[in-house]
Amino acid sequence: MTDLSEAHLEAFLEMMSAERGAAVNTLQSYERDLRDARSFLRSSGTRLNAATADDLRRYLSHLAGEGFKASSQARRLSALRQFYKFLYAEGLRGDDPTGILDAPKKARTLPKTLSIDDVTRLIGEAEAQAAADGEDAFAKLRMHALIELLYATGMRVSELVSLPASVLAQNGRFLVIRGKGNKERLVPLSQAAIRAMRTYGDALRKRAVEVESPWLFPSSGKSGHLPRQVFARDLKSLAARAGIRVAAISPHVLRHAFASHLLANGADLRAVQELLGHSDISTTQIYTHVLEERLHELVQNHHPLAKQAKKQD
């Protein structure tokens, strides 16, 4: 039987170019991936345009065995999906063999975080600068309040910089945060965060005599509040002065530190989910490595057999 795989592959690439306007790099990537699959299938006497789901599973297993990352396998599978959908739509095949194939699972990267010691040094530096008189006194008070609030609540940086000035009127130990989807959540404040916010609030009120703003962290920019990029830049500068590696710090890293430190000290995953404002528990489960470490430590320190083994050592 004549192998029409080459003709079908060329027709597919032509369609991607003419009808979908695929870029040259995209077309080259599709062609390279599909020719690689065709070469593998031909070695076992299978035509690319006639391959079954089992044939394609063997190809993906081959890629895994060759050490290809899950992301590279997923890209190859994506090219195959597009190719077989084209064949099906054109009536060149009666089925799509990729329809029942699962994409290779990508390993979830662990979030960057900071140690408790690093966070303590960072906050200590911000506090010391805020307490010192001198140039940019207001900016230093603002940075101290930002750091304390972020680590105390685990807010997203967008939620933090857009806090309304009305939060200063809340005298309780809780803060109402408006997050994604306009959903509100209640987060507790540490005593240190309350003190830093009050001190900053007093300085803000003095400045408000000149310029009144609805934002807790006002700015002359388009949004009216402190831009995320400015806070991120100032945070790196603070980290450098605190002796912390600049590449390791960002507002989001402090959010991760908040969650990791809570879990490491016994907090419930569901509670952390609520505090972070995650709508799905699966998003919070990136921190399960912290729970696993804690569980291991608990077993090693409290299980009778583990204690016995330590005594024998």
Side-chain angles (χ1 to χ4, degrees), residues 33-276:
D33 291 347
L34 290 171
R35 289 196 184 283
D36 182 72
R38 185 189 178 202
S39 175
F40 172 82
L41 293 167
R42 282 176 65 182
S43 66
S44 60
T46 304
R47 290 175 286 121
L48 177 66
N49 61 343
T52 65
D54 285 339
D55 292 327
L56 298 179
R57 283 195 188 95
R58 282 193 299 105
Y59 173 59
L60 293 174
S61 295
H62 161 74
L63 293 177
E66 290 292 309
F68 281 78
K69 293 181 180 178
S71 56
S72 297
Q73 296 175 48
R75 192 197 72 218
R76 302 277 179 109
L77 178 57
S78 176
L80 290 166
R81 287 192 199 284
Q82 293 294 331
F83 176 66
Y84 289 112
K85 282 179 182 177
F86 164 74
L87 295 185
Y88 179 74
E90 293 294 312
L92 299 172
R93 270 192 73 133
D95 68 329
D96 174 4
T98 65
I100 57 173
L101 296 182
D102 294 325
K105 291 185 178 180
K106 297 180 183 179
R108 301 193 73 170
T109 55
L110 297 179
K112 288 183 181 179
T113 187
L114 291 175
S115 68
I116 293 176
D117 286 343
D118 281 344
V119 173
T120 300
R121 291 208 329 265
L122 189 70
I123 292 177
E125 181 67 23
E127 186 175 13
Q129 290 187 24
D133 294 327
E135 192 178 353
D136 297 329
F138 180 77
K140 292 172 182 176
L141 288 171
R142 181 181 68 186
M143 175 54 77
H144 184 214
L146 284 162
I147 292 286
E148 291 281 12
L149 282 171
L150 184 53
Y151 184 59
T153 64
M155 276 186 278
R156 299 177 179 91
V157 63
S158 57
E159 297 167 345
L160 174 65
V161 297
S162 63
L163 282 172
S166 58
V167 300
L168 291 171
Q170 299 175 17
N171 295 319
R173 289 191 56 203
F174 290 86
L175 197 63
V176 177
I177 299 173
R178 191 178 297 277
K180 286 186 177 180
N182 221 24
K183 293 180 180 178
E184 290 186 344
R185 67 184 189 278
L186 201 64
V187 295
L189 291 174
S190 64
Q191 288 296 331
I194 292 171
R195 287 194 299 270
M197 190 166 65
R198 283 177 180 168
T199 304
Y200 165 73
D202 291 340
L204 180 64
R205 289 187 187 94
K206 292 175 183 176
R207 290 171 65 95
V209 174
E210 305 168 19
V211 181
E212 191 171 350
S213 170
W215 307 109
L216 179 61
F217 302 108
S219 167
S220 58
K222 183 179 179 182
S223 64
H225 58 68
L226 181 71
R228 293 178 296 119
Q229 297 85 346
V230 172
F231 174 44
R233 180 200 65 199
D234 292 348
L235 179 60
K236 286 184 178 293
S237 178
L238 178 69
R241 291 193 293 275
I244 297 170
R245 194 165 59 92
V246 172
I249 190 77
S250 74
H252 207 63
V253 166
L254 272 178
R255 174 170 158 89
H256 288 319
F258 162 83
S260 297
H261 298 169
L262 276 179
L263 289 167
N265 284 280
D268 177 74
L269 193 65
R270 287 281 181 187
V272 173
Q273 176 194 357
E274 292 294 326
L275 292 171
L276 291 174

Side-chain angles (χ1 to χ4, degrees), residues 9-10 13 26-36:
L9 199 159
E10 293 291 343
L13 293 173
T26 302
L27 291 171
Q28 289 175 344
S29 178
Y30 275 132
E31 182 174 9
R32 184 170 57 249
D33 291 347
L34 290 171
R35 289 196 184 283
D36 182 72

